[in-house]
Amino acid sequence: MSEHTPKTALTPATHTTPPAKFSHGVRKGNILQVAGQVGFLPAVEGRAPTPAGPTLREQTLQTLANVKAILEEGGASWDDAMMVRVYLTDVDHFAEMNAIYNEYFEGQGLTEPPAARTTVYVGLPAGLLIEIDVLAVLG
Amino acid sequence: MSEHTPKTALTPATHTTPPAKFSHGVRKGNILQVAGQVGFLPAVEGRAPTPAGPTLREQTLQTLANVKAILEEGGASWDDAMMVRVYLTDVDHFAEMNAIYNEYFEGQGLTEPPAARTTVYVGLPAGLLIEIDVLAVLG
Amino acid sequence: MSEHTPKTALTPATHTTPPAKFSHGVRKGNILQVAGQVGFLPAVEGRAPTPAGPTLREQTLQTLANVKAILEEGGASWDDAMMVRVYLTDVDHFAEMNAIYNEYFEGQGLTEPPAARTTVYVGLPAGLLIEIDVLAVLG
């Protein structure tokens, strides 16, 4: 007998409503996928999604916090992250992003090796400097 | 004993031949990956790949239909989709794509939460406004 | 009892040190993720990461070799590859990349269908024409 494994939507209370019919994250069995996160502050009812600030530092740290909230909502942690996709808008931000990324993960107390990562430079909506999505495998 | 799990190519009869040695989709065990799909009409022998039309609406709906055909070829459905990666060429297309996306999925009769999604803005071959790939987990 | 599946970093001796806290590849259970690879030559101590050459051909072949080294470090091969993500900087490179890609894979002796693939056009650091990452499922 083949049992159905349900797909669960991961929707942290802090997150703003997605602008379309997609989930901030989903988990099915031991696979967890985090949707592209940006540096929006925790949702406030009646306020439009608002970036943490205009700087790469503010947006990167908020984006990583937003990803982490979804991982945790699904019972995972950064230790389960397999792939981090980083989308930047400007090649000149690479070194600074790396410094912030390293500093952030030094504070996360990882007990497993860090995830793989790809960084590419794309267009993003006005005012957004970084977007990140993550594939995780639990267990 | 460790048994070999075969990787199966998913090649809907409607699809044009890929321009290189890749598969439109592959399934191995419960993991299914759909290659980047664009808004090409069903293949007609002797005709070059032809977009469904010049508009974002035509191309988005055809692209989603092309993804769905591959999911179904692999025994999956949109309910199994974990991650939808949307590549647009123009930030100004975001709102319209979301409206089409929502309308499309309202008609799909999903019984599970929608997949996660990332949308970024990249270059695509001339005339193409959207490309989508999907990771699915069956079961 | 639920046993912990460790995540293993895949670090070929030939590879240059990543510029931040990420792994060139990771494997957890039967899932293997290769980080974005570029056309850097095998690492030489004291030398900065150096592309195989200025041409798309040189960089594509080196990038594919770099991906393969990580797959093999994780006990996998191209036959296990499910998804190849190709990032180019120039739409005009598509046909040439496809020719190189086909030629390369003709020489790999695949016994399974080729992986799915998505190719998009993005910005990359100066001098780099191609970046590739791969998701593989072993077994």
Side-chain angles (χ1 to χ4, degrees), chain B residues 78-116:
Chain B
W78 280 115
D79 271 329
D80 301 302
M82 296 290 286
M83 183 59 161
V84 177
R85 294 188 180 279
V86 178
Y87 301 98
L88 294 176
T89 59
D90 188 338
V91 173
D92 288 343
H93 287 168
F94 188 55
E96 184 185 355
M97 184 275 290
N98 279 334
I100 300 165
Y101 192 91
N102 287 352
E103 176 190 319
Y104 174 80
F105 280 106
E106 275 159 19
Q108 293 300 308
L110 297 190
T111 61
E112 303 266 352

Side-chain angles (χ1 to χ4, degrees), chain C residues 52-120:
Chain C
T55 68
L56 183 65
R57 165 169 288 273
E58 291 164 305
Q59 291 193 16
T60 301
L61 293 174
Q62 185 65 51
T63 299
L64 289 165
N66 291 345
V67 170
K68 185 182 183 180
I70 295 166
L71 289 171
E72 292 183 342
E73 189 79 15
S77 75
W78 281 116
D79 271 328
D80 301 302
M82 296 290 285
M83 183 59 162
V84 177
R85 294 188 181 279
V86 178
Y87 301 97
L88 294 176
T89 59
D90 188 338
V91 173
D92 289 342
H93 287 169
F94 187 56
E96 184 185 354
M97 184 276 290
N98 279 334
I100 300 165
Y101 192 90
N102 287 352
E103 177 190 320
Y104 174 81
F105 280 106
E106 274 158 20
Q108 293 299 308
L110 297 190
T111 61
E112 303 266 352
R117 200 184 75 181
T118 290
T119 304
V120 292

